[in-house]
Amino acid sequence: MPATILDGKATAATIRQELTARVEALTAAGRRPGLGTLLVGDDPGSRWYVNAKHSDCAQVGIASIQRELPATATLTDVLGVVEELNADPACTGYIVQLPLPRQVDEYAVLEAMDPAKDADGLHPTNLGRLVLGVDGPLPCTPVGIVELLRRYDVPVAGAEVVVVGRGITVGRPLGLLLTRRTENATVTLCHTGTRDLAAHLRSADVVVAAAGVPGLVTADVVKPGAAVLDVGVSRVDGKIAGDVAADVAGVAGHVAPNPGGVGPMTRAMLLQNVVLAAERAVAAEVLTA
Ligand SMILES: Nc1nc(=O)c2c([nH]1)NC[C@@H]1CN(c3ccc(C(=O)N[C@@H](CCC(=O)O)C(=O)O)cc3)C=[N+]21
């Protein structure tokens, strides 16, 4: 039986549809959500992502605030825009597109963001909340993965999940998310120091490949019927190359393709974070009124 496709593109469209009503309610209450983006430099890939995020916003009624700086921008320049977005009431959530140019300290920028406006869920306070299990914005790719599995009824509770990659945007926070009591997965986080990756992969019910190594996961290391999600974004000859080899679809029970899988879900979860932040702000005001 061929693998079921975890169609992230279609699922993201459904989620945008669902968010539209919530944006309408906020807008009617005079609290229209607004997503800010800061793009530093002119990498065409990064520009594509940022533009895609704004067209998603337009579709659901979220306002767009676009800021750009040249590739030569200093940390001070970037922090200037961060302060401006922190202070702008029209901006209810924002992201600083990563990676930043070498001369700009990424962690200093993340720290300077207002955690309440952190649409990526990457502020240290919000990553700390994730560790503690306290409500707050969550990293978009990990929640997108959990949401995609949930909507296709792929069992996660009790499952053996192998995550390949320990990066701050995907692997590390995904491990934290999946081990919450509500998800209840058993997670093995593999990385470049893992001695026998194949052995771990062979016992996995769910594989999330987020290493950025093209073709890393091949059919011979996938357990028949496993769910395999490809999060890799390498570029080979200008085309997106994932971490999962094409032949995996012949063995797996579910596959999230790349493109068309986790990428669109990441963008849908960004919109959800912006809506949630606006809803939290309204709720906080009701409490203090
Ligand atoms: N502050 C920050 N937040 C991010 O969330 C962030 C970032 N920086 N830097 C770069 C990575 C990468 N990322 C993707 C988002 C959407 C797709 C996506 O929608 N891809 C489509 C199309 C891909 C294509 O065809 O080019 C797909 O998978 O179907 C991919 C990758 C977000 N990132």
Side-chain angles (χ1 to χ4, degrees):
M1 214 171 64
T4 301
I5 303 296
L6 301 172
D7 188 342
K9 200 173 172 188
T11 306
T14 303
I15 292 168
R16 283 196 299 274
Q17 194 67 46
E18 294 165 3
L19 289 172
T20 303
R22 286 161 69 183
V23 173
E24 269 168 22
L26 285 160
T27 304
R31 298 313 183 87
R32 185 180 185 201
L35 173 72
T37 59
L38 172 55
L39 174 63
V40 185
D42 41 27
D43 174 69
S46 296
R47 187 174 292 277
W48 186 91
Y49 294 140
V50 168
N51 288 342
K53 287 163 189 177
H54 288 290
S55 73
D56 291 345
C57 283
Q59 233 188 71
V60 304
I62 295 174
S64 278
I65 299 139
Q66 269 181 281
R67 294 282 179 273
E68 279 188 33
L69 287 170
T72 53
T74 63
L75 175 61
T76 309
D77 298 331
V78 174
L79 293 179
V81 177
V82 164
E83 286 311 324
E84 190 195 313
L85 293 170
N86 283 347
D88 183 352
C91 170
T92 58
Y94 70 96
I95 64 142
V96 177
Q97 185 68 21
L98 303 174
L100 288 165
R102 244 186 318 279
Q103 74 276 13
V104 181
D105 178 356
E106 205 168 284
Y107 298 100
V109 173
L110 288 173
E111 292 257 11
M113 295 175 71
D114 177 349
K117 290 190 177 191
D118 167 28
D120 266 330
L122 296 178
H123 187 284
T125 295
N126 292 322
L127 289 174
R129 286 176 172 142
L130 170 56
V131 173
L132 293 167
V134 172
D135 182 48
L138 293 166
C140 301
T141 304
V143 211
I145 289 167
V146 170
E147 189 64 22
L148 191 58
L149 292 169
R150 194 179 67 76
R151 290 191 184 231
Y152 278 88
D153 294 318
V154 176
V156 164
E160 298 284 336
V161 181
V162 169
V163 177
V164 191
R166 57 182 153 191
I168 63 151
T169 55
V170 189
R172 185 70 53 88
L174 179 59
L176 293 166
L177 210 55
L178 286 170
T179 50
R180 296 185 304 189
R181 205 171 282 276
T182 44
E183 267 64 47
N184 247 354
T186 299
V187 176
T188 305
L189 200 53
C190 296
H191 45 75
T192 48
T194 299
R195 209 180 303 146
D196 192 351
L197 177 63
H200 288 293
L201 290 172
R202 284 196 179 99
S203 66
D205 303 308
V206 179
V207 173
V208 180
V213 179
L216 179 71
V217 177
T218 47
D220 59 306
V221 296
V222 170
K223 177 156 95 177
V228 181
L229 291 85
D230 190 354
V231 193
V233 279
S234 312
R235 269 182 206 271
V236 176
D237 304 326
K239 278 193 66 179
I240 298 268
D243 288 356
V244 176
D247 60 2
V248 166
V251 181
H254 292 83
V255 287
N258 184 1
V262 174
M265 290 299 292
T266 297
R267 280 159 44 202
M269 295 302 102
L270 175 68
L271 300 178
Q272 179 171 277
N273 270 347
V274 174
V275 171
L276 281 169
E279 289 171 348
R280 272 190 208 101
V282 171
E285 224 167 79
V286 171
L287 285 175
T288 54

